[in-house]
Amino acid sequence: MNLKTIFFIASFIWITGFIQAQTRQKDIMPFLRVENQRFVDTQNREVILNGINHVVKDPAQNYLHPDDEQLFQTFREYGFNCIRYGIIWDGLEPEPGVINEEYLQEIDKRVRWAEENGIWLVLDMHQDLFSRKFSDGAPLWATLDQEKPHQTGAIWSDAYLMSPAVQQAFDSFWQNAPAEDGVGIQDHYIQVWKVLADRYKNSSAVAGFDVMNEPFMGSQAPLVFEDLLQGYVQAATQSGVTLPDIAALQESFMNETSRLELLETLQDKAFFRQILQAASPKVKAFEENELSAFYQRVRDAIRSTGSRQLLFLEHNYFCNMGIPSYFRVPKDSLNQPDQQCVYAPHGYDLVTDTKALDKTNFNRTEVIFEQIFQNGKEKELPVWIGEWGAFYMGNKYQKAAHHIIGMIEQAKAGQTFWCWWPQIETQDFFPFLSRTYPMAIGGILDSYSNTAQGFSCQWRENPSGDKASIWFIPDLKRAQQGQLKIEPASDFQFQSISPESSSGYLIVEPTGKNSLRSLSIQY
């Protein structure tokens, strides 16, 4: 075996996972880091994170899926190199100051299974409506809602705007109100993150920590909603349309049928942006103050353990619809922005979770994702779309998935689709998740795209790099039968994930020159 072949195998072994237990190294997978707003591994290759959300919200299942060992192997065959893996505060700290070691040991198993399959985990502290009391997330003891009434609407997320109990629970969190033991509930939450960071600081399969799912503004939220409705009225009036008063509009929005009729009018980009801009001041105040202060505290606690994992920072709930994000990147000990942070937004059209989900509007989604990518540039952080899609109701989302994944590819962003469920591979949109993409590039990725006719990719090769570049291929046979073109030419090979799998990798050796390279596959 010559030296070139040895280098080739070493660069690839973390993905295949085909090594014997007695020869395993502690860190088979490379740690991820951020460099110049890109994900980079320890072999200085640019990485595209492509994956899926996997979250179990049911306490009766102990917040665990029983078949994850096999499921993670399946994820590898789908080409997922990243899982946004949901962890639940209620499972982690069932009583104040008491950490559930059994739950942590189950997470340990998932970290090990991820490593064995060449998959990075992003541990996502998940919540919906703040708490287990209303949906999932915080334990009951940390749900300080002052016994206010809980109200729900036609769609589960309506409770964010309608429920005084949910809003108060969030207010108590941002105010760090004391739990029954006298310790602030935000302090408890941050301490749990410190425990997790210390436990996994040496685990390269743990890419990072998604600090909070969709941070919500609490009792300020109805005021933001009123601003959105005011913006709607102002934009419509300027267009010569006469509308009912705000109270009537609000009532219409809380009815699913009339809401969908309103959304039909939000198809012009300029009109939609004008409405979003009306809500921007209150969103800005929350993100610059409560949210930024919270992120700084979490960052300091995690870094105090020696953890070098990435911090995945989400914008607040309302920014999912395209309102600009204003949170500040937390500072390091030198009072400089922590370089190992990631902007982890969610992007959903306004019809998400409604019966009209198949009527996703391309103009609105373009406004949302254009703003997301602009936010990333302004924060000088890499963008990783932590959630998008939620295409639950049958085979009718192919066009929407194609449109959104095209925007993500153009931005060279990472993504994890919301979410996995059994037999998702039978859905018409699934080929846009399990698709050809650059997993690890020995240089700087310039562009890549998938079309019905094939795949193309361009990158600037690192002349000092000696590591192969790797692309995931969902259908090796189809790719091998197509027309493959690599310029400048170098050695390459296709490699199957397993003897039983139809998917695998295209591995291209470096030229050792500072050159712009291209790869294309025509079917």
Side-chain angles (χ1 to χ4, degrees):
M1 182 181 293
N2 60 34
L3 185 60
K4 183 178 181 181
T5 303
I6 293 173
F7 277 135
F8 174 77
I9 294 174
S11 70
F12 185 63
I13 199 167
W14 65 269
I15 286 184
T16 65
F18 297 149
I19 59 176
Q20 300 300 318
Q22 64 269 28
T23 63
R24 290 186 66 86
Q25 299 296 317
K26 183 177 181 181
D27 288 331
I28 295 169
M29 293 185 65
F31 270 93
L32 277 185
R33 71 180 190 277
V34 169
E35 186 177 287
N36 297 324
Q37 300 180 49
R38 301 177 297 130
F39 296 106
V40 178
D41 66 19
T42 48
Q43 298 174 4
N44 293 317
R45 296 181 297 186
E46 182 170 357
V47 171
I48 292 292
L49 294 177
N50 178 67
I52 201 161
N53 281 262
H54 181 37
V55 184
V56 177
K57 302 179 182 181
D58 186 358
Q61 293 182 249
N62 298 316
Y63 304 116
L64 298 165
H65 187 274
D67 300 321
D68 277 344
E69 184 173 13
Q70 177 58 51
L71 183 59
F72 282 22
Q73 294 176 29
T74 301
F75 285 162
R76 182 183 67 182
E77 295 197 3
Y78 292 160
F80 299 156
N81 64 352
C82 178
I83 302 171
R84 184 172 179 254
Y85 183 76
I87 54 178
I88 307 294
W89 185 11
D90 179 57
L92 289 163
E93 192 180 10
E95 301 176 33
V98 177
I99 301 299
N100 185 349
E101 178 63 24
E102 291 183 2
Y103 187 32
L104 286 176
Q105 290 175 4
E106 289 295 332
I107 298 173
D108 292 344
K109 294 178 184 177
R110 275 74 185 169
V111 171
R112 184 174 72 252
W113 296 334
E115 182 180 21
E116 290 170 354
N117 288 284
I119 294 172
W120 283 289
L121 293 185
V122 176
L123 299 183
D124 154 42
M125 192 78 82
H126 207 81
Q127 66 80 25
D128 296 290
L129 305 179
F130 187 75
S131 168
R132 173 180 178 172
K133 183 175 182 178
F134 312 117
S135 183
D136 58 88
L140 296 180
W141 61 262
T143 307
L144 307 184
D145 59 5
Q146 299 182 5
E147 299 184 357
K148 291 184 177 180
H150 176 51
Q151 298 177 7
T152 59
I155 300 169
W156 74 268
S157 57
D158 287 348
Y160 277 120
L161 300 176
M162 298 176 65
S163 173
V166 169
Q167 293 163 14
Q168 181 59 56
F170 273 101
D171 284 350
S172 297
F173 181 85
W174 300 122
Q175 294 161 7
N176 199 22
E180 58 194 57
D181 63 351
V183 178
I185 55 171
Q186 190 177 126
D187 293 338
H188 274 287
Y189 188 93
I190 293 171
Q191 179 60 28
V192 170
W193 266 126
K194 188 173 180 179
V195 169
L196 290 165
D198 190 56
R199 192 178 188 98
Y200 299 116
K201 63 186 177 184
N202 296 317
S203 299
S204 56
V206 178
F209 308 121
D210 193 333
V211 172
M212 177 182 280
N213 181 64
E214 299 186 353
F216 183 67
M217 297 171 61
S219 59
Q220 301 174 64
L223 301 177
V224 175
F225 183 53
E226 288 181 12
D227 286 346
L228 288 168
L229 294 180
Q230 289 281 8
Y232 184 90
V233 170
Q234 292 169 5
T237 301
Q238 292 175 12
S239 301
V241 177
T242 302
L243 291 170
D245 60 26
I246 295 298
L249 270 178
Q250 187 167 0
E251 184 177 349
S252 295
F253 192 85
M254 289 308 172
N255 177 279
E256 185 174 2
T257 300
S258 56
R259 178 189 307 185
L260 296 176
E261 293 173 357
L262 286 174
L263 295 183
E264 283 292 317
T265 67
L266 301 181
Q267 299 189 21
D268 178 79
K269 282 188 171 184
F271 187 84
F272 186 38
R273 286 194 182 100
Q274 185 174 349
I275 294 170
L276 299 177
Q277 188 60 39
S280 187
K282 290 185 178 66
V283 168
K284 180 179 181 182
F286 170 75
E287 289 212 337
E288 287 185 339
N289 293 288
E290 290 94 336
L291 188 58
S292 292
F294 169 63
Y295 281 160
Q296 185 66 55
R297 295 189 67 213
V298 176
R299 180 263 168 207
D300 291 345
I302 287 175
R303 294 291 182 242
S304 72
T305 68
S307 166
R308 50 179 161 161
Q309 271 83 6
L310 306 178
L311 302 184
F312 289 75
L313 307 175
E314 299 191 28
H315 57 216
N316 87 94
Y317 171 84
F318 284 107
C319 292
N320 290 357
M321 62 190 299
I323 297 173
S325 173
Y326 299 95
F327 73 78
R328 294 187 295 271
V329 179
K331 301 292 185 66
D332 61 19
S333 59
L334 300 176
N335 202 35
Q336 298 298 315
D338 188 317
Q339 296 297 307
Q340 300 309 305
C341 291
V342 177
Y343 176 44
H346 299 176
Y348 287 114
D349 188 25
L350 304 185
V351 295
T352 299
D353 290 329
T354 74
K355 60 187 177 184
L357 178 56
D358 59 325
K359 295 181 174 60
T360 296
N361 181 265
F362 286 8
N363 282 345
R364 284 197 304 263
T365 54
E366 286 174 8
V367 168
I368 292 166
F369 282 89
E370 286 166 3
Q371 185 61 59
I372 281 173
F373 298 131
Q374 180 62 33
N375 293 341
K377 290 179 181 178
E378 292 176 358
K379 297 177 190 299
E380 298 183 344
L381 298 178
V383 177
W384 176 78
I385 310 296
E387 289 187 21
W388 67 279
F391 299 142
Y392 296 124
M393 298 178 289
N395 286 312
K396 48 188 175 182
Y397 305 109
Q398 188 175 19
K399 290 182 179 179
H402 184 205
H403 181 241
I404 294 172
I405 207 69
M407 290 188 286
I408 293 172
E409 289 185 349
Q410 185 176 19
K412 297 176 287 184
Q415 63 85 26
T416 47
F417 178 85
W418 182 268
C419 64
W420 174 82
W421 67 86
Q423 298 184 328
I424 191 174
E425 69 277 0
T426 66
Q427 302 298 296
D428 65 349
F429 61 81
F430 190 75
F432 298 105
L433 309 183
S434 179
R435 71 196 194 287
T436 301
Y437 75 98
M439 298 186 82
I441 295 294
I444 298 175
L445 180 64
D446 181 64
S447 65
Y448 77 103
S449 64
N450 282 277
T451 67
Q453 292 73 41
F455 171 81
S456 63
C457 182
Q458 293 79 40
W459 72 102
R460 173 70 62 177
E461 193 164 88
N462 181 357
S464 62
D466 56 8
K467 307 302 180 186
S469 295
I470 304 169
W471 287 260
F472 171 75
I473 308 291
D475 189 338
L476 278 181
K477 185 175 181 180
R478 185 183 186 208
Q480 289 169 327
Q481 292 174 346
Q483 296 181 351
L484 172 66
K485 188 175 183 180
I486 303 172
E487 294 184 336
S490 66
D491 292 341
F492 70 90
Q493 74 167 4
F494 291 99
Q495 181 165 339
S496 177
I497 286 177
S498 70
E500 300 80 22
S501 177
S502 62
S503 61
Y505 310 104
L506 170 62
I507 309 160
V508 177
E509 290 288 347
T511 63
K513 300 177 181 179
N514 185 10
S515 59
L516 182 64
R517 302 194 68 186
S518 65
L519 179 153
S520 64
I521 305 173
Q522 298 296 317
Y523 302 129

